[in-house]
Amino acid sequence: MTEATTVPPATPPGALRDAFRNLAAEAFARAAETMAFVTAVPLDEPGDAPPDALRVSVRFGGPVAGKLELAAPEAFGAMLAANLLGPDGPPVADAAVDTLKELANVTCGVLLPELARRGPIGVGRFEMGVPCAGALGGGSAWSDFTAGGTVLDADGFKVAVRVSGAL
Amino acid sequence: MTGTPTKPLNVLIVDDSAVTRAVIRRAVKLCGLPVDECYEACNGRAALDAMASLRVDLVLADLNMPEMDGFEMIRRIGDDPRLAGTPVVVISSEPNAAAFAAGRRGVRGCLPKPFTPESVRDVLVAATGVARD
């Protein structure tokens, strides 16, 4: 897990992006741990794309505007749903996608106050949108996604997290 | 709602995530409060439609939802004389949830996501003032 990140003012743009990337990874790890008892550890290399990868995004606005995005295999969402619902839980339609969207929602909610607190963007009111999910796509989609984000091992599943927008 | 025995509560859970509704439902059932029915709605509009015909004693509401969000739903509950007395607890990842809840008549508590079952119990007990079974 990365150390707590604080960004001083007058920071070069590249360092700013790295700081936000670290904050996004920290937010995801905290959300996954508290929400579904999943431990997420950053990987050094993105490697190959996981099978059946989905892209989930949550837009936000306020002092800065952007998107929090996750790229994760649908099987990861299924595992999270099973953790949340338990062995005797009710059947839920599209539980895997539902849970990935909720994880993105929770991650964004954890991230935004940290952006305000530890990033050089000042105090302001953030607003979040509703999560959207779709296929990540093949080809270079995974490498393009991970180039601007962090790839983590989440209980054996490869998950990528990134923040994009006017940062 | 304090002190004397009370009839079991009908609870309405409002969240666009079906999995989250199921998790909250389980936490509500396990929290020790006298709960009769647990209704569910996937957005604010569906919740208001349900409240038009069902007796609801407590609303547990997300804020960021499609079609009608929790902000608008809670405003409409407060503006409707038939519904204005229904207590609401906000359960949301929205960064402004606590500030919204603190200034809103009828909102009895705010629980940030991610939450634990114990925190659901604690906020429900505080919001309803009802003793646990």
Side-chain angles (χ1 to χ4, degrees), chain A residues 30-31 34-35 81 83-86 90 92 95 98-99 102 105-106 108-110 112-113 125-131, chain B residues 15-23 25-26 62 64-66 71 75 92-96 99-100 113-117:
Chain A
R30 192 166 128 205
T34 309
M35 184 177 152
N83 283 1
L84 290 169
L85 295 170
V92 175
D98 180 307
T99 306
E102 184 68 356
N105 180 39
V106 172
C108 195
V110 172
L112 295 181
R125 179 190 162 103
F126 278 107
E127 294 174 345
M128 283 170 48
V130 176
Chain B
D15 198 302
D16 56 327
S17 164
V19 171
T20 300
R21 294 197 305 268
V23 171
R25 173 189 282 264
R26 185 177 63 207
D62 189 14
N64 285 321
M65 296 179 288
F71 297 99
R75 288 190 196 102
S92 176
S93 60
E94 167 68 41
N96 308 302
F100 171 78
K113 292 179 179 177
F115 55 84
T116 62

Side-chain angles (χ1 to χ4, degrees), chain B residues 77-91:
Chain B
I77 289 173
D79 291 343
D80 188 332
R82 299 168 299 166
L83 304 178
T86 308
V88 178
V89 171
V90 170
I91 303 180

